[in-house]
Amino acid sequence: MANYRWPSKLTPRAKQTNLYGVILVTILCAASYSLGMWKNSRGAISRASLTSLPCTFPNKTSQILTFKARHTSPSETTARVFQIPSCGVEFSEYTPCESVNRSLSFPRERLIYRERHCPSKNEILQCRIPAPYGYSVPFRWPESRDVAWFANVPHTELTVEKKNQNWVRYDKDRFLFPGGGTMFPRGADAYIDEIGRFINLKDGSVRTAIDTGCGVS
């Protein structure tokens, strides 16, 4: 390989062979181009014929655009109505994730049974929870802040256990919420007067008083 040398000049015979190849390729390209032009010209449409063709659409008439609603609501007779049965009266106070029976089935460790435990998919009730007997439409705000119908929540346990704290009172057919709670059973003014018997709140020497309690609601 080291002693091989490329020829410095092409022989006359090689030059003649290359010339014949170039001519042959040129003839083939020209023939292919001419054949393509001839095939395309057979199905071509002249500019004059294009301008003379009518621009019409058979079996189609022009319509006036309108912006009115085209949908209608189904009639009451055709509307699909689902009839969901009512649950028994024993479910009138049923709260799915706060069921006592379900909570007691959980372990007492770390008070897990006191957490929320919602029913599984196969335990979901397929009925409507009935209202308590004698249920009435609740009071409107802001009146509902201070009063509620007893028939809607027929339980008086809280009025007995928290009677001295004035949270809630039972009066005839309704519950009353006087306000005040544990710290203010007779209102905020009476509470401030009671604190004033222990510390001086008159001359401004005491600006902040902290009353600590057990914090149980």
Side-chain angles (χ1 to χ4, degrees):
M1 293 294 294
N3 297 327
Y4 178 81
R5 295 182 179 180
W6 292 95
S8 59
K9 294 183 179 180
L10 294 177
T11 62
R13 184 179 181 85
K15 291 181 179 180
Q16 186 177 5
T17 302
N18 291 341
L19 180 60
Y20 289 158
V22 172
I23 294 174
L24 180 61
V25 171
T26 303
I27 293 174
L28 292 176
C29 291
S32 177
Y33 177 78
S34 300
L35 181 62
M37 291 291 294
W38 176 73
K39 287 187 175 181
N40 292 333
S41 63
R42 294 178 63 184
I45 301 176
S46 62
R47 182 180 298 273
S49 61
L50 285 176
T51 55
S52 61
L53 291 176
C55 185
T56 59
F57 297 91
N59 302 328
K60 187 174 182 180
T61 58
S62 59
Q63 297 181 355
I64 301 175
L65 295 178
T66 59
F67 299 93
K68 296 181 179 180
R70 299 180 180 271
H71 60 276
T72 57
S73 60
S75 61
E76 296 182 358
T77 56
T78 60
R80 190 174 181 181
V81 179
F82 293 94
Q83 296 293 341
I84 302 177
S86 177
C87 300
V89 294
E90 65 274 12
F91 291 98
S92 62
E93 298 183 5
Y94 174 73
T95 305
C97 298
E98 298 291 344
S99 175
V100 177
N101 296 331
R102 181 182 296 104
S103 298
L104 294 178
S105 63
F106 288 87
R108 299 298 181 94
E109 183 182 1
R110 294 186 298 179
L111 300 179
I112 295 179
Y113 76 102
R114 301 292 294 272
E115 299 177 358
R116 288 167 50 90
H117 299 286
C118 297
S120 58
K121 188 174 182 179
N122 58 348
E123 294 178 331
I124 298 177
L125 297 179
Q126 301 295 330
C127 55
R128 294 179 292 110
I129 303 299
Y133 177 78
Y135 181 86
S136 301
V137 178
F139 293 94
R140 297 182 62 86
W141 180 264
E143 190 178 4
S144 60
R145 180 183 53 187
D146 303 322
V147 62
W149 294 112
F150 168 76
N152 295 359
V153 191
H155 297 280
T156 58
E157 292 85 353
L158 196 61
T159 62
V160 177
E161 295 181 5
K162 300 294 183 179
K163 183 178 180 179
N164 59 336
Q165 297 178 1
N166 205 31
W167 283 8
V168 56
R169 291 203 308 263
Y170 174 53
D171 185 11
K172 297 180 181 179
D173 59 345
R174 62 194 65 187
F175 287 116
L176 303 178
F177 305 95
T182 305
M183 301 301 298
F184 314 107
R186 292 179 290 112
D189 293 338
Y191 174 73
I192 295 174
D193 294 338
E194 184 177 356
I195 293 296
R197 296 201 301 266
F198 299 96
I199 58 178
N200 184 13
L201 297 177
K202 296 181 180 180
D203 59 1
S205 58
V206 177
R207 302 295 299 272
T208 304
I210 301 177
D211 184 9
T212 57
C214 64
V216 178
S217 300

